[in-house]
Amino acid sequence: METPRELFQIMTRRLGLLNKDCCSVGGCNLSATQSHLLYEIDRSHNPSMQQVAETLGTDITTFSRQVQSLVKMNLVNKTPDPTDRRIYNLSLTPEGKMVATTIDHQMNAYLNEAFSHMSEFEVETLLRSIKLFNEAMGKSSNCCAPVKG
Amino acid sequence: METPRELFQIMTRRLGLLNKDCCSVGGCNLSATQSHLLYEIDRSHNPSMQQVAETLGTDITTFSRQVQSLVKMNLVNKTPDPTDRRIYNLSLTPEGKMVATTIDHQMNAYLNEAFSHMSEFEVETLLRSIKLFNEAMGKSSNCCAPVKG
DNA sequence: CGTTAATACTTGCAATCTGCAAGTTTATTG
DNA sequence: CAATAAACTTGCAGATTGCAAGTATTAACG
């Protein structure tokens, strides 16, 4: 029987490759990091830079530059917060939204392809299990905890 | 209900952070990539560089340099294949083996901590599901397929 | 055989990514 | 009205990445 770590290691390696492959949308060629960034902005409501950086576990200075390049690519808006001018709120441009959606579709398509090798029941069980696992990690006091989600 | 992609995105993000945090062993401060590399060498039997690079989905030139640094850190042995002198076989030094084992323990400890927020049955179901999912991805014809596991 | 092609791996760039230290601007605290 | 803190930016300097081009060895073919 494999250890939990083995199972997760292999799964994350594969999902990592998947993630890399799913980042090319039309002309845009995003890195996996940038894709995560878009994803996170998309699902939050006008988050501040600090917030997103913390969620993703990246240094704020690195994050600052990543945002700059996404703004330059016209995928992300960086608007000053009206109530606190230290803060910048992030949102997706229409183009960014489209890219994020496309990536989402691609990822889901790939996943569904993999799911086609499993029974419907197995897929349901898998998804329910992962949901529980995510919640469990959220409750954990360890490194993976600060990431809300 | 979350899409599969959402569930996997959050899980992999957390596991990524976990992976980062688990790479410091004593004096050694490995990157997540290097940790994966050690893991893969550990579980294969004297693999060639080509083999491991392909499994991990990294460019062979990048991989070559990564191996160089791990050799320099005295964690990996690079021995010429006796039957084909183009090939180098990789193995872990005793020190590398120790580091790999320590990382493994740390990861499993973290995972078990998370599991403590789930019932025994839920954990079993999760692990069995992931195992099935890994097999399904192995059968898939997509990007995540070439990675044997 | 001997030449050509293929394989395994290495090095030269050049671009990107990363994080610490140090800075700017704005808000809060005493 | 200082002094402190918070949010973000820039200056390095080091690490990572991949393509192009190289070396060395083996396989393939005429």
Side-chain angles (χ1 to χ4, degrees):
Chain A
M1 177 63 177
E2 291 99 338
T3 65
R5 195 255 170 141
E6 273 180 276
L7 291 171
F8 282 106
Q9 185 87 5
I10 293 187
M11 181 179 60
T12 52
R13 188 201 304 145
R14 282 195 166 117
L15 291 174
L17 292 179
L18 176 58
N19 213 331
K20 251 197 221 165
D21 276 21
C22 284
C23 291
S24 298
V25 175
C28 282
N29 228 322
L30 303 180
S31 70
T33 314
Q34 290 172 322
S35 158
H36 276 250
L37 214 163
L38 282 193
Y39 173 82
E40 199 54 38
I41 296 178
D42 197 18
R43 72 195 290 268
S44 319
H45 176 64
N46 278 13
S48 74
M49 300 189 51
Q50 201 69 238
Q51 271 176 297
V52 182
E54 192 171 333
T55 301
L56 296 180
T58 48
D59 190 272
I60 181 71
T61 69
T62 300
F63 185 80
S64 171
R65 276 181 268 249
Q66 280 169 346
V67 168
Q68 280 172 34
S69 65
L70 287 175
V71 168
K72 210 169 287 172
M73 294 164 90
N74 196 35
L75 300 177
V76 167
N77 286 321
K78 207 172 102 182
T79 46
D81 189 293
T83 72
D84 185 337
R85 286 193 293 173
R86 290 173 301 181
I87 298 176
Y88 284 93
N89 293 314
L90 301 175
S91 59
L92 298 186
T93 64
E95 197 183 337
K97 183 81 185 169
M98 208 199 62
V99 170
T101 304
T102 306
I103 291 178
D104 207 60
H105 287 347
Q106 286 178 0
M107 293 276 293
N108 276 313
Y110 276 125
L111 289 173
N112 283 325
E113 209 279 341
F115 292 164
S116 74
H117 300 281
M118 300 167 65
S119 78
E120 197 173 323
F121 174 71
E122 288 168 342
V123 173
E124 266 173 39
T125 306
L126 170 69
L127 295 180
R128 201 167 35 238
S129 288
I130 289 182
K131 193 173 160 134
L132 284 174
F133 178 53
N134 281 346
E135 285 163 11
M137 286 183 111
K139 288 181 200 148
S140 166
S141 52
N142 285 324
C143 62
C144 22
V147 188
K148 56 167 194 186
Chain B
M1 179 61 178
E2 291 98 337
T3 66
R5 195 257 172 141
E6 273 180 276
L7 291 171
F8 282 106
Q9 185 87 3
I10 293 188
M11 181 179 61
T12 52
R13 188 203 302 147
R14 282 197 166 116
L15 291 174
L17 292 179
L18 177 59
N19 213 330
K20 250 197 219 165
D21 276 22
C22 283
C23 291
S24 298
V25 174
C28 283
N29 229 322
L30 303 180
S31 70
T33 313
Q34 290 171 322
S35 159
H36 275 250
L37 213 163
L38 283 193
Y39 173 83
E40 200 52 39
I41 296 177
D42 197 17
R43 72 196 289 268
S44 320
H45 177 65
N46 278 13
S48 73
M49 299 190 50
Q50 201 71 237
Q51 270 177 296
V52 182
E54 192 171 333
T55 301
L56 296 180
T58 49
D59 189 272
I60 182 68
T61 70
T62 300
F63 185 79
S64 172
R65 276 181 268 251
Q66 280 170 347
V67 168
Q68 281 172 32
S69 64
L70 288 175
V71 167
K72 210 170 287 172
M73 294 163 90
N74 196 35
L75 300 178
V76 166
N77 287 320
K78 208 173 100 181
T79 45
D81 188 293
T83 73
D84 186 338
R85 284 193 295 172
R86 291 173 299 181
I87 298 177
Y88 284 93
N89 293 314
L90 301 175
S91 59
L92 298 185
T93 64
E95 197 182 337
K97 183 83 186 167
M98 207 198 62
V99 169
T101 304
T102 305
I103 291 178
D104 208 60
H105 286 348
Q106 285 179 0
M107 294 277 292
N108 276 313
Y110 276 123
L111 289 173
N112 283 324
E113 210 280 340
F115 292 163
S116 74
H117 300 282
M118 300 166 67
S119 78
E120 197 173 322
F121 174 72
E122 289 168 341
V123 173
E124 266 174 37
T125 306
L126 171 69
L127 295 179
R128 200 169 34 239
S129 288
I130 290 182
K131 193 172 159 132
L132 284 174
F133 178 53
N134 282 346
E135 286 163 11
M137 287 184 110
K139 287 179 201 149
S140 166
S141 53
N142 284 325
C143 64
C144 23
V147 187
K148 55 167 197 192

